[in-house]
Amino acid sequence: MKTQSETGCFGGVQGVYSHASAATGTDMTFGLFLPPQAAQGKVPLLWYLSGLTCTHENAMTKAAAQGWAAEAGIALVFPDTSPRGPEVADDAAFDMGQGAGFYVNATEAPWAPHFRMWDYLTVDLTRLLFDNFPLDEGRQAITGHSMGGHGALTIAMGLPGRFASVSAFSPITNPTQSDWGRKQFTAYLGSDEGAWAAHDATLLMRARGFEGPVLVDQGGADQFLDLLRPEALAEAMAARRQDSVLRIQPGYDHSYFFVASFMRDHVEFHAKALARA
Protein backbone atom coordinates (compact mmCIF):
# COMPACT_ATOMS: atom_id res chain seq x y z
CA MET A 1 0.00 0.00 0.00
CA LYS A 2 1.22 3.49 -0.88
CA THR A 3 0.17 6.72 0.80
CA GLN A 4 -0.79 9.28 -1.85
CA SER A 5 -1.72 12.00 0.64
CA GLU A 6 -2.79 12.57 4.25
CA THR A 7 -4.47 15.82 5.26
CA GLY A 8 -5.82 17.09 8.56
CA CYS A 9 -9.62 17.14 8.47
CA PHE A 10 -12.09 17.90 11.31
CA GLY A 11 -9.49 16.89 13.87
CA GLY A 12 -8.81 13.61 12.09
CA VAL A 13 -7.01 12.61 8.89
CA GLN A 14 -8.29 12.37 5.32
CA GLY A 15 -5.98 10.01 3.46
CA VAL A 16 -5.73 8.74 -0.09
CA TYR A 17 -4.00 5.40 -0.66
CA SER A 18 -3.26 3.04 -3.53
CA HIS A 19 -2.53 -0.67 -3.57
CA ALA A 20 -2.33 -3.70 -5.83
CA SER A 21 -5.55 -5.71 -5.89
CA ALA A 22 -5.55 -9.46 -6.44
CA ALA A 23 -9.26 -9.32 -7.36
CA THR A 24 -8.97 -6.77 -10.17
CA GLY A 25 -5.37 -7.43 -11.17
CA THR A 26 -4.77 -3.67 -11.14
CA ASP A 27 -3.71 -0.93 -8.81
CA MET A 28 -6.68 0.58 -6.97
CA THR A 29 -7.09 3.88 -5.13
CA PHE A 30 -9.32 4.68 -2.15
CA GLY A 31 -9.91 7.48 0.31
CA LEU A 32 -10.12 6.88 4.06
CA PHE A 33 -11.16 9.39 6.71
CA LEU A 34 -10.10 8.56 10.25
CA PRO A 35 -11.87 10.64 12.92
CA PRO A 36 -9.92 12.04 15.87
CA GLN A 37 -11.17 9.17 18.08
CA ALA A 38 -9.03 6.75 16.01
CA ALA A 39 -5.95 8.10 17.80
CA GLN A 40 -7.22 6.41 20.99
CA GLY A 41 -8.39 3.08 19.56
CA LYS A 42 -10.41 1.25 16.95
CA VAL A 43 -13.45 3.02 15.48
CA PRO A 44 -16.47 1.82 13.46
CA LEU A 45 -16.33 1.99 9.66
CA LEU A 46 -18.94 3.40 7.26
CA TRP A 47 -18.46 2.42 3.62
CA TYR A 48 -19.51 4.94 0.97
CA LEU A 49 -19.96 3.54 -2.57
CA SER A 50 -20.08 6.07 -5.39
CA GLY A 51 -22.07 6.20 -8.60
CA LEU A 52 -21.52 6.16 -12.35
CA THR A 53 -18.50 8.13 -13.67
CA CYS A 54 -17.17 8.68 -10.13
CA THR A 55 -13.79 7.90 -8.63
CA HIS A 56 -12.85 7.70 -4.94
CA GLU A 57 -12.62 11.48 -4.96
CA ASN A 58 -16.20 12.59 -5.71
CA ALA A 59 -17.84 11.78 -2.39
CA MET A 60 -14.64 12.48 -0.48
CA THR A 61 -14.77 16.11 -1.61
CA LYS A 62 -18.50 16.72 -2.23
CA ALA A 63 -20.60 14.66 0.20
CA ALA A 64 -19.91 16.80 3.29
CA ALA A 65 -19.53 13.63 5.35
CA GLN A 66 -16.30 14.02 7.32
CA GLY A 67 -17.54 16.61 9.82
CA TRP A 68 -20.52 14.51 10.84
CA ALA A 69 -18.37 11.36 10.93
CA ALA A 70 -15.84 13.09 13.18
CA GLU A 71 -18.61 14.12 15.55
CA ALA A 72 -19.88 10.53 15.66
CA GLY A 73 -16.42 8.92 15.86
CA ILE A 74 -16.87 6.94 12.65
CA ALA A 75 -14.32 6.28 9.89
CA LEU A 76 -15.33 6.64 6.24
CA VAL A 77 -13.93 4.71 3.29
CA PHE A 78 -14.41 5.94 -0.28
CA PRO A 79 -13.49 3.19 -2.77
CA ASP A 80 -13.21 3.66 -6.53
CA THR A 81 -16.05 2.48 -8.77
CA SER A 82 -14.09 0.21 -11.13
CA PRO A 83 -10.64 -0.99 -12.12
CA ARG A 84 -8.73 1.44 -14.32
CA GLY A 85 -5.76 1.52 -16.69
CA PRO A 86 -4.83 1.07 -20.34
CA GLU A 87 -5.03 -2.72 -20.03
CA VAL A 88 -8.57 -2.61 -18.61
CA ALA A 89 -11.56 -2.97 -20.93
CA ASP A 90 -13.65 0.14 -21.46
CA ASP A 91 -16.64 1.46 -23.36
CA ALA A 92 -17.44 4.81 -24.95
CA ALA A 93 -20.71 5.04 -22.99
CA PHE A 94 -20.58 6.69 -19.56
CA ASP A 95 -22.58 3.85 -17.99
CA MET A 96 -20.32 0.96 -19.05
CA GLY A 97 -16.70 0.06 -18.44
CA GLN A 98 -14.29 2.16 -16.41
CA GLY A 99 -16.19 4.19 -13.83
CA ALA A 100 -19.18 1.86 -14.08
CA GLY A 101 -18.30 -1.43 -12.41
CA PHE A 102 -21.79 -1.94 -10.89
CA TYR A 103 -20.21 -3.78 -7.92
CA VAL A 104 -20.38 -7.22 -9.56
CA ASN A 105 -17.85 -9.91 -10.48
CA ALA A 106 -17.96 -9.97 -14.28
CA THR A 107 -17.97 -13.37 -15.95
CA GLU A 108 -18.03 -12.31 -19.61
CA ALA A 109 -15.32 -11.13 -22.02
CA PRO A 110 -13.74 -8.62 -22.16
CA TRP A 111 -14.74 -7.62 -18.61
CA ALA A 112 -14.02 -10.77 -16.59
CA PRO A 113 -10.25 -10.37 -16.07
CA HIS A 114 -10.52 -7.07 -14.16
CA PHE A 115 -14.14 -6.16 -13.37
CA ARG A 116 -14.43 -7.99 -10.05
CA MET A 117 -15.63 -5.18 -7.84
CA TRP A 118 -17.67 -7.40 -5.50
CA ASP A 119 -14.55 -9.36 -4.51
CA TYR A 120 -12.45 -6.21 -4.47
CA LEU A 121 -14.68 -4.54 -1.89
CA THR A 122 -15.74 -7.49 0.21
CA VAL A 123 -12.38 -9.32 0.30
CA ASP A 124 -9.35 -7.33 -0.92
CA LEU A 125 -10.12 -3.86 0.39
CA THR A 126 -11.79 -5.22 3.51
CA ARG A 127 -8.68 -7.12 4.53
CA LEU A 128 -6.34 -4.26 3.72
CA LEU A 129 -8.36 -1.79 5.78
CA PHE A 130 -8.67 -3.91 8.91
CA ASP A 131 -5.07 -5.08 8.73
CA ASN A 132 -3.61 -1.59 8.42
CA PHE A 133 -5.86 0.93 10.18
CA PRO A 134 -7.47 1.25 13.65
CA LEU A 135 -10.90 0.02 12.53
CA ASP A 136 -13.35 -2.23 14.37
CA GLU A 137 -14.26 -5.07 12.00
CA GLY A 138 -17.25 -5.98 14.14
CA ARG A 139 -18.89 -2.59 13.58
CA GLN A 140 -19.46 -1.81 9.91
CA ALA A 141 -22.21 0.01 8.03
CA ILE A 142 -22.63 0.84 4.35
CA THR A 143 -24.16 3.55 2.19
CA GLY A 144 -23.90 4.82 -1.37
CA HIS A 145 -25.30 7.00 -4.13
CA SER A 146 -27.01 5.91 -7.36
CA MET A 147 -25.00 2.92 -8.69
CA GLY A 148 -23.29 3.00 -5.30
CA GLY A 149 -26.67 2.88 -3.55
CA HIS A 150 -27.38 -0.25 -5.59
CA GLY A 151 -24.03 -1.66 -4.46
CA ALA A 152 -24.62 -0.78 -0.81
CA LEU A 153 -28.03 -2.44 -0.72
CA THR A 154 -27.01 -5.59 -2.58
CA ILE A 155 -23.76 -6.09 -0.64
CA ALA A 156 -25.53 -5.54 2.68
CA MET A 157 -28.22 -8.10 1.88
CA GLY A 158 -25.76 -10.42 0.14
CA LEU A 159 -23.48 -10.65 3.20
CA PRO A 160 -25.78 -11.26 6.19
CA GLY A 161 -24.27 -10.28 9.52
CA ARG A 162 -21.51 -8.04 8.21
CA PHE A 163 -23.25 -4.66 8.34
CA ALA A 164 -25.24 -3.17 11.20
CA SER A 165 -27.18 -0.85 8.89
CA VAL A 166 -27.53 0.16 5.24
CA SER A 167 -28.63 3.37 3.60
CA ALA A 168 -28.71 4.79 0.10
CA PHE A 169 -29.12 8.06 -1.77
CA SER A 170 -31.15 7.73 -5.00
CA PRO A 171 -30.15 4.07 -5.51
CA ILE A 172 -30.72 1.98 -8.63
CA THR A 173 -33.21 -0.26 -6.84
CA ASN A 174 -34.44 -2.67 -9.51
CA PRO A 175 -31.69 -2.99 -12.16
CA THR A 176 -33.06 -6.18 -13.71
CA GLN A 177 -36.03 -4.07 -14.86
CA SER A 178 -34.12 -0.90 -15.77
CA ASP A 179 -31.86 0.24 -18.60
CA TRP A 180 -29.40 1.02 -15.79
CA GLY A 181 -28.91 -2.66 -15.12
CA ARG A 182 -30.12 -4.80 -17.99
CA LYS A 183 -27.50 -3.39 -20.35
CA GLN A 184 -24.65 -3.76 -17.86
CA PHE A 185 -25.70 -7.13 -16.45
CA THR A 186 -25.94 -8.59 -19.96
CA ALA A 187 -22.43 -7.36 -20.73
CA TYR A 188 -20.83 -8.27 -17.39
CA LEU A 189 -22.79 -11.38 -16.34
CA GLY A 190 -24.24 -12.78 -19.57
CA SER A 191 -27.77 -13.26 -20.86
CA ASP A 192 -28.94 -15.68 -18.13
CA GLU A 193 -31.13 -13.41 -16.01
CA GLY A 194 -30.99 -15.90 -13.16
CA ALA A 195 -27.43 -14.73 -12.52
CA TRP A 196 -28.64 -11.15 -12.13
CA ALA A 197 -30.92 -11.65 -9.13
CA ALA A 198 -28.10 -11.48 -6.57
CA HIS A 199 -27.48 -7.91 -7.71
CA ASP A 200 -31.01 -6.52 -7.61
CA ALA A 201 -31.98 -4.86 -4.32
CA THR A 202 -35.71 -5.25 -4.91
CA LEU A 203 -35.41 -8.99 -5.59
CA LEU A 204 -33.09 -9.46 -2.61
CA MET A 205 -35.50 -7.55 -0.36
CA ARG A 206 -38.34 -9.82 -1.44
CA ALA A 207 -36.24 -12.96 -0.98
CA ARG A 208 -34.35 -12.29 2.26
CA GLY A 209 -34.52 -8.66 3.45
CA PHE A 210 -31.93 -7.15 5.77
CA GLU A 211 -31.52 -7.91 9.47
CA GLY A 212 -30.87 -4.28 10.43
CA PRO A 213 -32.46 -0.90 9.67
CA VAL A 214 -32.63 0.55 6.15
CA LEU A 215 -32.79 4.24 5.16
CA VAL A 216 -33.30 5.43 1.57
CA ASP A 217 -33.52 9.04 0.41
CA GLN A 218 -34.70 9.84 -3.11
CA GLY A 219 -34.90 13.25 -4.74
CA GLY A 220 -38.37 14.02 -6.02
CA ALA A 221 -36.96 16.07 -8.91
CA ASP A 222 -34.37 13.43 -9.85
CA GLN A 223 -33.89 13.43 -13.62
CA PHE A 224 -33.23 9.66 -13.54
CA LEU A 225 -36.24 8.67 -11.44
CA ASP A 226 -37.67 6.24 -14.01
CA LEU A 227 -34.35 4.39 -14.17
CA LEU A 228 -33.98 4.19 -10.37
CA ARG A 229 -37.47 2.72 -9.71
CA PRO A 230 -37.75 3.56 -5.97
CA GLU A 231 -41.37 2.41 -5.97
CA ALA A 232 -40.24 -1.18 -6.63
CA LEU A 233 -38.03 -1.22 -3.53
CA ALA A 234 -40.72 0.51 -1.46
CA GLU A 235 -43.25 -2.17 -2.37
CA ALA A 236 -40.75 -4.95 -1.54
CA MET A 237 -39.88 -3.40 1.83
CA ALA A 238 -43.55 -2.96 2.71
CA ALA A 239 -44.39 -6.53 1.72
CA ARG A 240 -41.56 -7.85 3.86
CA ARG A 241 -42.36 -5.45 6.74
CA GLN A 242 -38.71 -4.47 6.69
CA ASP A 243 -37.42 -2.07 9.37
CA SER A 244 -37.03 0.74 6.84
CA VAL A 245 -37.70 4.33 5.82
CA LEU A 246 -37.87 5.54 2.22
CA ARG A 247 -38.21 9.31 1.88
CA ILE A 248 -39.00 11.25 -1.29
CA GLN A 249 -37.38 14.68 -0.93
CA PRO A 250 -39.28 17.28 -3.02
CA GLY A 251 -37.19 19.59 -5.18
CA TYR A 252 -33.94 17.59 -5.00
CA ASP A 253 -32.25 16.12 -8.06
CA HIS A 254 -29.57 13.45 -8.51
CA SER A 255 -26.59 15.65 -7.66
CA TYR A 256 -24.22 15.90 -4.71
CA PHE A 257 -26.18 18.94 -3.54
CA PHE A 258 -28.87 16.38 -2.68
CA VAL A 259 -26.41 13.96 -1.06
CA ALA A 260 -24.76 16.67 1.03
CA SER A 261 -28.16 18.00 2.17
CA PHE A 262 -29.06 14.71 3.86
CA MET A 263 -25.64 13.31 4.76
CA ARG A 264 -26.01 14.28 8.42
CA ASP A 265 -29.19 12.18 8.66
CA HIS A 266 -27.42 9.17 7.20
CA VAL A 267 -24.31 9.41 9.39
CA GLU A 268 -26.47 9.77 12.50
CA PHE A 269 -28.66 6.85 11.35
CA HIS A 270 -25.59 4.62 11.05
CA ALA A 271 -24.07 5.91 14.29
CA LYS A 272 -27.14 4.74 16.21
CA ALA A 273 -26.99 1.28 14.62
CA LEU A 274 -23.23 0.96 15.14
CA ALA A 275 -23.60 1.91 18.79
CA ARG A 276 -25.86 -1.12 19.23
CA ALA A 277 -23.57 -3.48 17.26
Side-chain angles (χ1 to χ4, degrees), residues 97-115:
Q98 295 186 39
F102 267 77
Y103 304 103
V104 303
N105 287 339
T107 57
E108 303 298 304
W111 314 104
H114 301 295
F115 279 72

Side-chain angles (χ1 to χ4, degrees), residues 28-134:
M28 298 293 290
T29 301
F30 66 94
L32 178 69
F33 171 70
L34 290 174
Q37 295 86 341
Q40 279 74 52
K42 292 184 177 181
V43 295
L45 177 64
L46 175 57
W47 295 75
Y48 183 101
L49 307 187
S50 291
L52 291 166
T53 76
C54 292
T55 69
H56 70 281
E57 190 174 22
N58 294 73
M60 190 178 77
T61 59
K62 296 180 180 179
Q66 289 92 336
W68 305 120
E71 191 171 294
I74 295 173
L76 299 166
V77 63
F78 305 98
D80 203 347
T81 55
S82 78
R84 299 180 189 273
E87 76 282 9
V88 177
D90 202 4
D91 191 276
F94 78 95
D95 57 358
M96 277 285 296
Q98 295 186 39
F102 267 77
Y103 304 103
V104 303
N105 287 339
T107 57
E108 303 298 304
W111 314 104
H114 301 295
F115 279 72
R116 303 188 60 80
M117 289 301 293
W118 181 283
D119 280 357
Y120 170 66
L121 293 175
T122 65
V123 180
D124 278 13
L125 185 54
T126 295
R127 285 273 50 87
L128 183 144
L129 288 170
F130 291 106
D131 286 348
N132 290 278
F133 298 97

Side-chain angles (χ1 to χ4, degrees), residues 145-162:
H145 173 230
S146 192
M147 179 186 72
H150 140 78
L153 290 165
T154 56
I155 290 172
M157 286 186 278
L159 297 173
R162 182 173 295 197

